[in-house]
Every structure is written in structure tokens, then in C-alpha cells.
Amino acid sequence: MLNEIDLSRTDLNLLVLFEIVMEERHVGRSAERLNLSPSAVSHGLGRLRTLLGDPLFLRTPTGVVPTDRATELAAPISEILARVKAVISSVEPFDPARSSRRFTIGAPDGASSVFLWQLLHDLPTLAPRVDICIRQLLPRQGQPVPSFAWSDALADLDSRAIDIAVIPLGDVPARFTTRTLYEEDFVIAMRAGHPLAANPTPANYYASRHLVVSHSGDPHGFVDVALAERGLSRRISLTVPNFMFALAVIAETDLVTAIPRRFAAMHGSRFGVTYVDAPIALPRFDITLVVPKVAMMDAGVAWLVSTLAQFSPSAPASSGERVVTQGTNAASAQ
């Protein structure tokens, strides 16, 4: 613990340096973000090591990795800096009408492509100079436990790589706060005129050639888990990294894919894509806004959370060939 003399001699910028190096895991990139030379960053890390009594970061051929002590200090230091920022920003309160900040929202494109349009519609009036960066998030493929599947998104929030995450995860650690934006499920999408649209029986669905959205290329998805429980399997003919790409591909082929219902209703028609209710029972899930509680002390982040929390999508429109099969429970989480 720092004593009074140590604290009086402590440079707050060293904590800022620590946070940036934790995010970048690279001295050179950290130097660029801080507008410093790499040697100045190295010198600052040396002062931090002396101050905190730990090596903090170990060099590797590709950058640096934090020690266990540095990992333990990451959250407390982020909280300290957030409180300092809140104190400083309170001198001139955040005003969305005048602010020129840029916020980063992480979300799978099946969600961002739904809520983003209302946000973009509102920003010119509410915050004409505020800019938004969307960072695509996808779960770890083959990971059936949601808290593990979306653990990378939570890590991005902890490291401040993103300000807010919008993901299908409601059970989060206590250090986060959440807001449910809407309920979602998955439908089976295909080109207009596809034979499956006219007769979406389970047998016809299993026999189809399938496309899976997977940023890693792993062809195993949530549908395969549901099929395996019935002793069934399907042929995965193609994987693509995002849902928009999926729409473009299925529009020109006989492939079928599971995509979020609201995403299909909003964007399918422009690609000539239709959809049907899933012929197998799959769970529903909530699309949830997740943000670190400490980040809510930032008036700008709190404003963005409030703005997004007002998002209330209307019931998704039905496509012309949408079919509800008997006994179907419309699909859900990917």
C-alpha cells in the first residue's frame, strides 16, 4: 500500500500508461496511442515496477504479457482512472448536443444491424457531433455455455476496448450492469422460391445444404447441438464470418442458414431472401446491453446507455413465404 510520501510523488500518468499497455500488450503501439516514444514508455514502466514492486509486464517476441500481479491491478486501476475522469468531466458536464466523442459498441452483426439504424436516425438530432464505432463480436464456436461463449466480449469491456457490448447474455458478473433491449429467436433463411420455403418439414430441413456463421470457420453451431440431442446431423457446406455475408450468399444459392428473426425481417427483402420458422425447437434469448458499472460514472457512456436502452423494436414483419409449422418453437441463440 502506498504511504503518504509515495502518493505525493506518484505521477497519475503512470496509471494511464499502465492501462494502455494492458490494452495493447505492446510497447510500440502503446507509445503511438500516448504520443510518446517507445523508450519513454519503457522508462515509465520501469518507474511503475519500482512503485508497485512487481515486473508487471514480461517481454515476448510479439509484445508483452502481464504478470499475475498486473492482472490483479487492472480492474482497481481502471476504476481509479474512471473516478478521476468523472471528477474532471464534472467541471464541464457531458452535453451530447456539443460533444465530439467517439463511442465503441461491440455486438454481433445480427444485433448491431437491428439497433444501429434507430441510433443513427436519432444521433443527428440528439448528438450531431458524436461518432459511433461498431466492433463485431461473435461467440466462441463450439462453446455451449453462454458465459464462456461471450467471455471475450466481457474481457473487451474490462479492457475498455469497447464502451458497451450488446450480446445475447443476461447472466453476467456483478461488476457489470445490464439492460434488456429486446427478445430474439432464430429463423431459417433461404432464397425466395427455395423448395424448403414451401414445405419446411424437419426432414426437408435436415436434407438441405447448410451455411453457418462462424468467424473462426468452425462449422459446429447451436443448431448442431439441438440436432445431436435428437441423434441427427446436417451437412455444413459453407461457413462465413457474419450474417450480412450469409444473406448475400444464400440469395444466390440453395444454401439455408439460421439467422436472427429481426435481422431477417429488416434486411432479408433487399437480398431477395425469405425465411420460415425453424422446424426444430430452439430456445429464445434476450439481446442485452452490458457495460461495466464503473464505466457508468462516465456521463457520456451513461448517456449512450440511456439512449440505447430506449430502443424498442417493433414486432418483426413476416416475409411473404414465412411458414409456421405445427409444433414449432421458433429458434434462438447461435
Side-chain angles (χ1 to χ4, degrees), residues 2 10 14-15 18 45-56 69-70 73 77:
L2 297 176
T10 300
L14 293 179
L15 301 186
F18 174 90
L45 289 176
R47 292 172 61 194
L48 266 176
R49 293 182 178 111
T50 300
L51 179 67
L52 300 176
D54 187 86
L56 297 178
R69 178 59 175 156
L73 290 170
I77 287 177

Side-chain angles (χ1 to χ4, degrees), residues 104-108 112 115 133-137 162-167:
T104 300
I105 303 171
S112 62
F115 71 78
C133 172
I134 298 293
R135 177 171 172 176
Q136 184 176 358
L137 302 178
I162 56 179
D163 296 301
I164 293 171
V166 179
I167 52 180

Side-chain angles (χ1 to χ4, degrees), residues 26-251:
H26 194 278
V27 170
R29 291 196 297 269
S30 299
E32 291 178 3
R33 285 184 58 181
L34 293 164
N35 292 318
L36 297 173
S37 66
S39 61
V41 172
S42 296
H43 177 69
L45 289 176
R47 292 172 61 194
L48 266 176
R49 293 182 178 111
T50 300
L51 179 67
L52 300 176
D54 187 86
L56 297 178
F57 298 96
L58 305 177
R59 292 187 179 276
T60 72
T62 59
V64 296
V65 295
T67 63
D68 290 343
R69 178 59 175 156
T71 301
E72 292 173 359
L73 290 170
I77 287 177
S78 291
E79 183 172 353
I80 289 170
L81 293 176
R83 290 182 181 274
V84 171
K85 292 174 184 176
V87 170
I88 294 175
S89 64
S90 67
V91 176
E92 184 177 348
F94 174 81
D95 181 358
R98 299 173 55 194
S99 176
S100 57
R101 286 184 61 176
R102 174 181 292 272
F103 297 99
T104 300
I105 303 171
D109 73 315
S112 62
S113 297
V114 172
F115 71 78
L116 181 61
W117 306 118
Q118 181 172 319
L119 181 62
L120 293 178
H121 178 269
D122 294 342
L123 279 180
T125 300
L126 299 176
R129 299 174 60 195
V130 164
D131 297 322
I132 300 295
C133 172
I134 298 293
R135 177 171 172 176
Q136 184 176 358
L137 302 178
L138 282 175
R140 293 182 178 180
Q141 293 296 129
Q143 177 52 260
V145 180
S147 59
F148 292 133
W150 294 100
S151 59
D152 291 339
L154 301 184
D156 285 342
L157 287 169
D158 282 329
S159 68
R160 303 299 189 269
I162 56 179
D163 296 301
I164 293 171
V166 179
I167 52 180
L169 180 65
D171 184 15
V172 300
R175 67 183 182 277
F176 297 101
T177 188
T178 64
R179 304 281 192 279
T180 298
L181 295 187
Y182 58 93
E183 187 182 57
E184 184 62 285
D185 66 343
F186 273 69
V187 294
I188 308 306
M190 65 216 74
R191 64 171 175 80
H194 193 289
L196 183 64
N199 192 20
T201 64
N204 288 341
Y205 175 62
Y206 307 149
S208 299
R209 295 168 57 226
H210 294 255
L211 177 153
V212 166
V213 175
S214 166
H215 69 292
S216 67
D218 183 345
H220 187 82
F222 75 92
V223 172
D224 300 284
V225 174
L227 290 176
E229 292 173 350
R230 296 164 174 78
L232 300 169
S233 62
R234 59 177 178 164
R235 178 188 173 189
I236 308 299
S237 298
L238 179 68
T239 66
V240 298
N242 58 64
F243 289 111
M244 278 295 184
F245 194 175
L247 285 183
V249 171
I250 65 173

